Amino acid sequence: MARIEIEGGVPLNGSVAVSGAKNAVLPILMASLLTDAPCRLKNVPHLKDVTTTIELLAQMGAEVGLADQFTIELDTAGVAHQEAPYDLVKTMRASVLVLGPLLGRFGKARVSLPGGCAIGARPVDQHLRGLAALGADVYVDAGYIVAEADRLHGANIVLDTATVTGTENIMMAAVTASGVTRIENAAQEPEVVDLADCLNSMGAQIEGAGSNTIVVHGGKPLSGYDFTVLPDRIEAGTFLVGAAMTGGHITTRRSNPRTLDAVLQKLEQAGAEINTGEDWIELDMHGCRPQAVDVTTAPYPGFPTDMQAQFTALNAIAEGTGVVRETVFENRFMHVLELQRLGADIRLEGNAVVIRGQPKLTGAPLMATDLRASAGLVLAGLVAEGTTVIDRVYHIDRGYENIEEKLGQLGARIRRYAARAA
Ligand code: EPU
């Protein structure tokens, strides 16, 4: 299995380009299933989850090719199997995002139930309830969610929780439904807005994306899309935290500061000087150690759960004591035991961790457990004295494009070892 090795102690310095947002790319690729016209998506990052999505669409009968390094062309006219099988869904839960578009275009979809997950139970009940409200017959058969409908109709749907992919699934089905759909308590994440913008570019009429009430005027004819995906706010945030932890000075290029307000405010509290422009963010720690910060995760515009592990790592080497509370997922502290192996002083208390910052961490072999937990470990490795080796790098590759190359550009001493022969 591939490993990443880091020699800690070098402040991050310089500038780095941010890739397209994984969590916008995935639903937008799935949205190509809504039309039999060709689609083209630009600014697509090279990630394992993107490859899995392409594999999923190709298994259904879609033609998928590369126009250039970062542009994917899709033609789903030949899709013949409306199914997402267990072997793909179990490696990527976002596969459930085919449910809405398949139901909308073909009137039927079979998607394996995702099962458990490293970061919590993660049910999909709100997706199913929303699709049922639009008129679908939804049931579970042999481990698969089956959704069927002769036609869908608009409905008023109040979500129990502001689920991101649930909002996206319901929105994609609703654009094909007759009449008006209102989704209340909708997720307000920038990636939901990007999907709505893409659907509108196809001819859909969606209002209110980015607020907690989304209104879809359904039944409009849908063409293909030629769309550029927004920058990845979590990748940008991860590099910025890395610079804050190492006393560095970096600029993230091709990044959108307006999607990172909560994170940038916490970094300022930690002592960083932040300057922003239209598509860049500059962070300067002036060589100082960060101050500990308290963080509570919440749906957007609150502090993102996908940045929680990185701030746990920051607090581990900060001055003072920080409390990090996780309110979105119930089991997202897998990185804590690994950080303790580097000498971090962290106490788990229910859904929170209390972290007493240490003047130094010491390198050790670590195991990546999930995507964002791994990002926290990489950041800790950047400050730990000596060598940190992170195993199970495939978790990182799901969501970070060439992380070792990009951190290397910023001066980190980091390298990847290829898989050892068995
Ligand atoms: N929930 C339910 N019922 C549902 C759906 C969700 O109870 O039907 C609960 C979940 O269990 C969780 C909360 O609602 O406690 C929020 O989950 P949400 O559905 O919003 O998460 P998601 O859509 O499965 C997306 C991102 C995640 C990100 C979360 C929260 C994608 C593909 N994934 O997941 O990204 O953490 O929103 O912002 O968009 C990652 O990139 O590493 C990642 C995990």
Side-chain angles (χ1 to χ4, degrees), residues 22-23 26 94 97 119 121-127 161-166 168 189 305-306 328-330 332 371-372:
K22 167 178 87 77
N23 289 346
L26 304 184
L97 282 165
I119 62 175
R122 299 185 79 179
V124 289
D125 57 303
Q126 298 304 304
H127 303 228
T161 90
T163 155
V164 175
T165 49
E168 292 167 345
E189 270 67 3
T305 172
D306 290 344
V328 178
F329 292 113
E330 69 270 26
R332 216 177 188 183
L371 168 56
R372 306 304 172 186

Side-chain angles (χ1 to χ4, degrees), residues 338-407:
E338 300 296 311
L339 290 172
Q340 285 170 343
R341 304 196 66 242
L342 302 179
D345 180 345
I346 309 182
R347 201 172 66 247
L348 193 54
E349 283 186 5
N351 72 339
V353 283
V354 181
I355 309 137
R356 278 188 13 188
Q358 301 300 304
K360 72 166 194 165
L361 299 176
T362 312
L366 301 177
M367 196 76 87
T369 51
D370 73 71
L371 168 56
R372 306 304 172 186
S374 322
L377 302 186
V378 171
L379 297 186
L382 295 177
V383 282
E385 273 180 16
T387 309
T388 297
V389 179
I390 302 174
D391 212 337
R392 301 198 177 164
V393 167
Y394 57 86
H395 287 294
I396 305 177
D397 294 336
R398 291 190 53 196
Y400 289 90
E401 182 172 48
N402 294 333
I403 194 165
E404 71 281 7
E405 255 181 64
K406 291 195 180 191
L407 288 173

Side-chain angles (χ1 to χ4, degrees), residues 294-297 308 312 322-327 329-333 335-336 346-355:
D294 293 339
V295 162
T296 300
T297 67
Q308 179 260 104
T312 304
V323 178
V324 173
R325 196 170 298 282
E326 173 60 62
T327 73
F329 292 113
E330 69 270 26
N331 182 28
R332 216 177 188 183
F333 284 120
H335 43 288
V336 165
I346 309 182
R347 201 172 66 247
L348 193 54
E349 283 186 5
N351 72 339
V353 283
V354 181
I355 309 137

